[in-house]
Amino acid sequence: MTPEPNSEEYAAVVPLHSVPSDTERLAPHDREAEQAVVGSLMIAPATIADVSDAMDPADHYVPAHETVHRAILALHGQGQPVDPITLGHYLEQTGDLRRAGGRSYLHTMIQAVPSTANAAYYAEIVHDLARRRRSIEVGTRIVQAGMSPEATEDDLREALALGAETVPAAWPEPIPLDRQPKLPTFPVQALPAWVGDFVAALAEETQTPPDLAGALALSVLATAAGGRSVVQVRGRWREPTNLFVVVALGPANRKSAVFAAMTAPLYEAENSLVEGSNLTIVEAEVTARMAREAADKAAAQAAKAEGPERDNLVAEAIGLAQTADSLTVPTRPRLLADDATPEVISTLLAEQGGRLAVMSAEGGIFDIIAGRYSGTPNMEVFLKGHAGDRLRVDRRSREEFVEAPALTMGLAVQPSVLEDIGKNRGFDGRGLLARFLYCLPESLVGYRKIDPDPVPAAIAATYERNVYALTLRLADWTDPLVVQVSPEADGALKAYAERLEPQLRTKGGRLGHIGKWAGKLVGAAARIAGLLHLAEHIDGVTNSPISAATMDAAITLAEYFAAHALTVFDLMGADATLARARSLLSVLEDNGWESVSRRDLFAKLSRSEFPTIADLEPVAAALEEHGYLRSETPPRTGKRGRPPAPRYLIHPNVREPKA
């Protein structure tokens, strides 16, 4: 007979059937981590993507946290701002405010955030604890069924089935591969007040998305300051303040009207520079002509002379010729170009001391770069003009050299233009596409006001006056104005770089497939910060460094461009892995496997898309990241021989027959 267990030895063991009803309070959870996740989503909406990759709202242990988390996602999906006020109003409308803990608890969760940069890590903690709770629940169901004397075999099978249903984390709802997220609207509040006011008012008057005027505003500031200022980030790291910006918006969206209004003060400044230089140019032309005529006359006299007099006249003629050659006539000032070839742009850069802006409401410049006239792509001036690398061009008649070119580009094109340039592998291979900040706003055609409010005269006058003043103030700088970065701003930029770096990983990184572009994002943020700083100090007081608030605004703009770039590069077909993932998903749907070996799966795939098994792995990883499959290596059945080959477990939704 089996002896009874020692009662003292097992005193701490609680029989399963007598587990107290309040065991749920002991379930694994971390209230602070949950608060930090939700608070981060309110403070920094840019963290939503990272948090969503790590957890589901159902992972929260506290019901209030799940309620608020889902409300934030709903507001974000509608393109609405998320903060305690808008969130409280939304929860009140849906009748969930009390369930969420009230308005005061929304502020409590914000105060619980140590750092929004760690939001994804807090989410991983919450998700891990949720998986543990669900495992406990599954085990409890199965053990309870097994311990019950009355349980039949069907009851046990039902317990296993019910247990599986309680583990939604095992198979979360897959993320559609073709889902285009709702892109954020341009953060007008990140611009200096006088710029933001004009952008918002012009968007209202023209009934266009604020993204169009907002993105062009950065190009306008870059035209005024590019080539005349640099940002001293730290050490030897300096960023010029020129930018490449392209806005993609369909026809009938009044791009030309917005373009004309945003760039008008630049043309006014250019005209002023031309008028101011006319007298100098005329004087230089007359002086050069007279010097040349004197040299020619002396040469003619020397040719006629003989004897000792000839030597003196020749020496005099040579001296006059050297003087004539040393005289240069200043070039007419030029800030802007439009439909120009790369060769012309190179010449203009050399003539204008390294500064020029290509501003156009059409996409023809891409055709020119691709070789419309020459038949050969020529992007050297654009690559070096963005980076500020030395540019040397040898002509038959002369040599052009620019020490530090600063080319700005501000373009408003149709989305089809981006699709076309995405097909040109040379643009991507040379890195031209990686230099643009992309903006893909949602068209308002069909939803526009018929009689909108015009731009207030005072707002328009302030914008035009300030752009004009900034352009003229920096026009005569030969050595660039060096804009310093405060320690606080540098700290904000470092924190952003640390948060961004994991996203650049080719496997699993949010921006990994556009790494060439995203690798320049921190530098772009520094450039934008320099432009915002100069615009904030339009009165000329520029000896103060960039503040932390200005750097935060620049980072907000950088995050905006990152969200748009993901969609734009997908539109341009840059993510080949995602395209092949759609093909792989179709094969999985057609075959209905519960699991499949890598070899068997490879046998079903097209060799044109998947030449080798190695080509399958990154695509399968992409499907795994989206939740469609899971890689699993079966355990060994013996000590010898090869280890079992990995298999792919397929999401139940993929196996379901399609209607």
Side-chain angles (χ1 to χ4, degrees):
M1 177 180 296
T2 304
E4 290 290 327
N6 185 299
S7 58
E8 293 182 0
E9 181 181 355
Y10 293 95
V13 177
V14 180
L16 185 63
H17 62 272
S18 61
V19 171
S21 60
D22 61 350
T23 298
E24 185 178 347
R25 293 203 312 267
L26 305 177
H29 69 283
D30 189 326
R31 186 183 186 90
E32 291 181 351
E34 293 186 13
Q35 289 177 329
V37 167
V38 180
S40 296
L41 298 180
M42 282 190 272
I43 298 172
T47 62
I48 287 177
D50 293 338
V51 168
S52 297
D53 288 343
M55 66 169 289
D56 186 89
D59 290 342
H60 287 290
Y61 177 74
V62 179
H65 299 159
E66 179 180 354
T67 300
V68 178
H69 192 145
R70 293 189 184 280
I72 291 172
L73 296 182
L75 277 175
H76 183 71
Q78 297 169 9
Q80 300 297 319
V82 177
D83 57 45
I85 296 176
T86 59
L87 196 55
H89 179 69
Y90 176 83
L91 289 167
E92 191 170 43
Q93 286 184 322
T94 60
D96 293 327
L97 184 58
R98 179 175 297 181
R99 186 180 298 109
R103 294 181 186 272
S104 62
Y105 190 57
L106 300 179
H107 293 278
T108 298
M109 287 187 282
I110 286 180
Q111 295 168 1
V113 180
S115 171
T116 58
N118 298 329
Y121 298 103
Y122 307 144
E124 289 175 2
I125 293 172
V126 174
H127 177 65
D128 180 65
L129 293 173
R131 293 180 64 186
R132 296 188 185 195
R133 290 197 305 274
R134 289 160 185 154
S135 297
I136 292 171
E137 187 174 356
V138 170
T140 301
R141 284 179 177 271
I142 295 171
V143 171
Q144 284 179 333
M147 292 290 291
S148 174
E150 294 83 13
T152 65
E153 188 174 340
D154 289 339
D155 292 333
L156 291 174
R157 278 196 292 267
E158 183 180 358
L160 289 170
L162 290 173
E165 291 177 5
T166 67
V167 195
W171 283 115
E173 191 68 21
I175 303 170
L177 292 171
D178 56 353
R179 184 175 69 192
Q180 296 290 0
K182 185 176 179 63
L183 296 176
T185 56
F186 190 89
V188 177
Q189 73 281 0
L191 297 172
W194 63 269
V195 182
D197 289 346
F198 184 71
V199 165
L202 183 61
E204 167 65 22
E205 178 182 284
T206 58
Q207 287 297 286
T208 54
D211 312 63
L212 177 57
L216 290 177
L218 293 177
S219 296
V220 169
L221 294 176
T223 301
R228 299 296 184 265
S229 61
V230 295
V231 178
Q232 176 65 45
V233 183
R234 72 183 79 97
R236 297 186 180 182
W237 180 12
R238 285 187 171 188
E239 285 288 345
T241 52
N242 56 303
L243 294 175
F244 285 10
V245 180
V246 59
V247 184
L249 197 57
N253 272 284
R254 300 166 180 165
K255 295 190 292 291
S256 296
V258 175
F259 213 92
M262 296 301 300
T263 58
L266 291 176
Y267 284 100
E268 184 181 352
E270 184 180 76
N271 290 335
S272 180
L273 290 172
V274 170
E275 291 173 1
S277 67
N278 279 341
L279 180 59
T280 302
I281 293 174
V282 169
E283 290 178 349
E285 287 175 342
V286 171
T287 302
R289 185 171 63 251
M290 291 176 63
R292 176 51 58 191
E293 289 175 353
D296 292 342
K297 184 177 181 180
Q301 290 177 345
K304 296 177 182 178
E306 295 180 358
E309 184 183 7
R310 177 184 176 87
D311 294 338
N312 293 333
L313 290 175
V314 168
E316 182 183 355
I318 291 173
L320 290 172
Q322 289 175 337
T323 300
D325 289 341
S326 67
L327 296 175
T328 58
V329 178
T331 306
R332 288 170 60 88
R334 185 80 177 268
L335 294 176
L336 301 153
D338 186 352
D339 190 14
T341 65
E343 293 75 18
V344 170
I345 291 174
S346 297
T347 298
L348 289 173
L349 275 171
E351 293 175 347
Q352 302 301 320
R355 173 172 74 160
L356 186 71
V358 176
M359 305 285 281
S360 175
E362 303 295 338
I365 187 66
F366 288 114
D367 292 335
I368 295 173
I369 297 172
R372 175 203 293 171
Y373 301 120
S374 64
T376 304
N378 185 353
M379 59 190 75
E380 197 74 14
V381 64
F382 300 97
L383 299 176
K384 293 185 175 180
H386 180 273
D389 297 334
R390 290 184 182 90
L391 177 65
R392 186 184 297 275
V393 180
D394 294 319
R395 307 291 186 202
R396 290 183 178 178
S397 58
R398 67 186 186 280
E399 179 185 90
E400 295 172 348
F401 176 73
V402 185
E403 177 67 26
L407 180 64
T408 286
M409 297 185 74
L411 309 175
V413 304
Q414 294 189 21
S416 59
V417 172
L418 295 183
E419 294 182 36
D420 291 341
I421 65 174
K423 298 172 184 176
N424 189 321
R425 293 297 92 190
F427 282 176
D428 186 37
R430 293 293 305 279
L432 181 63
L433 300 183
R435 285 163 166 76
F436 280 92
L437 297 175
Y438 296 96
C439 174
L440 189 65
E442 186 174 354
S443 172
L444 298 183
V445 173
Y447 300 91
R448 296 176 293 192
K449 296 179 184 177
I450 303 304
D451 187 23
D453 296 329
V455 176
I459 289 177
T462 300
Y463 171 78
E464 292 167 1
R465 181 178 63 250
N466 287 349
V467 171
Y468 179 85
L470 180 63
T471 305
L472 294 188
R473 180 162 64 84
L474 296 176
D476 294 330
W477 282 73
T478 51
D479 293 333
L481 170 66
V482 179
V483 181
Q484 302 291 335
V485 177
S486 69
E488 296 79 12
D490 187 41
L493 189 63
K494 286 179 181 177
Y496 179 54
E498 290 175 357
R499 180 158 61 89
L500 190 66
E501 190 64 23
Q503 300 180 39
L504 305 181
R505 295 170 184 164
T506 54
K507 184 174 181 180
R510 168 175 168 255
L511 303 171
H513 64 287
I514 57 171
K516 292 180 186 177
W517 182 91
K520 301 180 185 297
L521 192 54
V522 175
R527 294 188 184 203
I528 294 171
L531 294 173
L532 299 182
H533 178 79
L534 291 171
E536 289 163 357
H537 297 81
I538 202 70
D539 55 358
V541 182
T542 52
N543 54 358
S544 60
I546 295 173
S547 67
T550 299
M551 186 62 74
D552 287 340
I555 291 171
T556 297
L557 287 164
E559 283 291 273
Y560 161 85
F561 285 116
H564 282 246
L566 284 169
T567 298
V568 168
F569 274 97
D570 191 24
L571 179 69
M572 293 191 294
D575 191 358
T577 298
L578 196 59
R580 289 197 295 269
R582 295 188 180 101
S583 298
L584 178 55
L585 183 59
S586 296
V587 171
L588 296 177
E589 290 173 340
D590 292 342
N591 287 273
W593 295 302
E594 289 189 19
S595 70
V596 61
S597 69
R598 185 168 55 186
R599 182 181 297 276
D600 291 342
L601 177 57
F602 179 69
K604 294 285 186 177
L605 301 175
S606 166
R607 290 297 167 270
S608 63
E609 286 188 288
F610 301 90
T612 67
I613 286 185
D615 297 307
L616 168 63
E617 292 177 355
V619 181
L623 284 185
E624 187 167 1
E625 290 166 8
H626 282 74
Y628 285 100
L629 56 80
R630 179 174 296 167
S631 180
E632 181 181 72
T633 302
R636 279 181 179 270
T637 56
K639 295 183 179 180
R640 297 184 178 182
R642 292 183 178 180
R647 297 183 66 82
Y648 296 117
L649 306 181
I650 315 302
H651 194 292
N653 287 8
V654 177
R655 306 195 304 264
E656 291 177 357
K658 301 296 181 287

